[in-house]
């Protein structure tokens, strides 16, 4: 499968600036249009929602980011209203030239994807993680138990 995510340049700079503003993890969501051609999936980011730190649950930074429920519901409802795909993005600011998703990241994505299928069946879910000089992405596709890597991000 050749899945890709296209982010307009100005949106990419805003996303990267927000997520890597300091040495703490930060969170954002994109809302993307979606099309499937054969076994390939293409997402086009249409809107960016930068999550300010006061919308995160207080807690130990070692346990990752946790978004307050009311904020998560607002973001999910907006994606559903616009019939767009939700793309979660967060940072691992201490990573430099390589970056990957932690087990905790994957567990949270799986839980959210299952919930999103109740709200918008058949719609995929995307995830990005950014480091100082690297990015990694996944797409969760209905009918599959594990996510696929995004092969292109541009």
């Amino acid at each position: 499968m050749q899945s890709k995510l296209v982010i307009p340049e100005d949106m990419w700079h805003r996303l990267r600036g927000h997520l890597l503003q300091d040495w703490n993890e930060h969170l954002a969501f994109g809302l993307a249009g979606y099309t499937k051609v054969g076994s390939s999936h293409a997402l086009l980011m249409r809107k960016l929602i930068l999550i300010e730190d006061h919308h995160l649950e207080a807690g130990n930074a070692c346990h990752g980011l946790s978004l307050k429920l009311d904020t998560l519901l607002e973001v999910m409802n907006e994606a559903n209203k616009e019939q767009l795909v939700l793309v979660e993005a967060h940072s691992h600011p201490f990573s430099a030239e390589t970056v990957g998703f932690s087990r905790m990241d994957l567990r949270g994505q799986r839980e959210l994807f299952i919930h999103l299928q109740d709200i918008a069946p058949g719609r995929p879910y995307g995830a990005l993680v950014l480091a100082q000089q690297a990015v990694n992405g996944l797409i969760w596709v209905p009918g599959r138990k594990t996510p696929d890597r995004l092969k292109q991000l541009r």
Side-chain angles (χ1 to χ4, degrees):
M1 179 183 328
Q2 293 293 320
S3 299
K4 69 179 176 180
L5 171 62
V6 177
I7 303 175
E9 186 175 0
D10 63 320
M11 202 176 289
W12 170 253
H13 289 296
R14 287 180 32 232
L15 175 64
R16 192 172 187 288
H18 174 73
L19 295 180
L20 298 171
Q21 62 186 287
D22 56 29
W23 295 103
N24 295 310
E25 287 191 24
H26 294 282
L27 180 65
F29 287 93
L31 304 181
Y34 166 72
T35 189
K36 181 181 177 194
V37 178
S39 64
S40 297
H41 301 268
L43 303 172
L44 173 60
M45 192 86 74
R46 293 190 182 163
K47 183 172 184 177
L48 184 60
I49 302 168
L50 305 176
I51 303 297
E52 299 300 326
D53 291 344
H54 66 273
H55 291 288
L56 302 174
E57 296 287 352
N60 186 339
C62 296
H63 294 100
L65 297 174
S66 182
L67 187 59
K68 290 181 179 177
L69 181 59
D70 60 334
T71 304
L72 177 60
L73 291 174
E74 286 177 26
V75 171
M76 290 170 49
N77 286 337
E78 186 168 350
N80 192 46
K81 178 181 156 196
E82 300 291 329
Q83 297 184 347
L84 296 172
V85 171
L86 194 61
V87 179
E88 176 258 325
H90 74 283
S91 58
H92 287 179
F94 287 103
S95 296
E97 296 176 2
T98 62
V99 68
F101 293 95
S102 69
R103 279 182 270 176
M104 188 178 344
D105 293 338
L106 294 171
R107 185 172 39 249
Q109 291 170 22
R110 184 178 301 110
E111 290 172 5
L112 184 54
F113 178 63
I114 290 168
H115 183 70
L116 287 169
Q117 289 307 292
D118 289 338
I119 297 168
R123 201 174 298 161
Y125 168 67
L128 296 174
V129 61
L130 276 70
Q132 295 300 320
Q133 297 176 8
V135 63
N136 200 337
L138 297 174
I139 183 168
W140 292 79
V141 179
R144 297 184 55 109
K145 292 184 179 184
T146 58
D148 291 313
R149 294 248 176 250
L150 286 171
K151 303 290 186 206
Q152 282 187 12
L153 176 64
R154 54 184 186 118

